[in-house]
Amino acid sequence: PVVLGVLRPGQAVEVTATLRNAGATAIVVARGASSCPCVTVSPLPIRVEPNDSAEITIAFDPRDEPAFRGGLAVSLAGYNPE
C-alpha cells in the first residue's frame, strides 16, 4: 500500500512508489484509475523490463474536490508488449 498520511483539508501531497517486475518479460503500465479524479499517477505509460523496477509518482490534490472525505482506491492496468 501507498500511504499518503493524514492531511489537512485542501492539502495536496505527492508520494513515490516503486513498481517491480519479477517476471521474465517486459510489462507496460498503460493507465491508472482512481476512485477520485483528485488522484493522478505519472509517468504513464511506463515500461518495466524483466527483473527491473521503475518509480511512479502518485499525486493527491483535493483543491478541485473540496468535499472529498474517506479512503482512496487506485488501480493500474498494463500489458505485456511482446
Side-chain angles (χ1 to χ4, degrees):
V2 175
V3 179
L4 300 178
V6 177
L7 306 174
R8 295 182 312 275
Q11 181 182 357
V13 66
E14 286 187 357
V15 294
T16 301
T18 301
L19 302 176
R20 289 187 175 77
N21 179 3
T25 59
I27 59 170
V28 174
V29 178
R31 63 184 177 86
S34 170
S35 58
C36 178
C38 54
V39 176
T40 58
V41 179
S42 62
L44 291 180
I46 188 169
R47 181 183 176 105
V48 186
E49 297 297 330
N51 299 307
D52 202 358
S53 61
E55 289 190 346
I56 58 170
T57 299
I58 301 170
F60 172 71
D61 187 348
R63 289 179 281 193
D64 291 333
E65 301 286 335
F68 179 80
R69 286 187 158 333
L72 295 168
V74 177
S75 62
L76 300 174
Y79 62 93
N80 179 332
E82 267 95 86

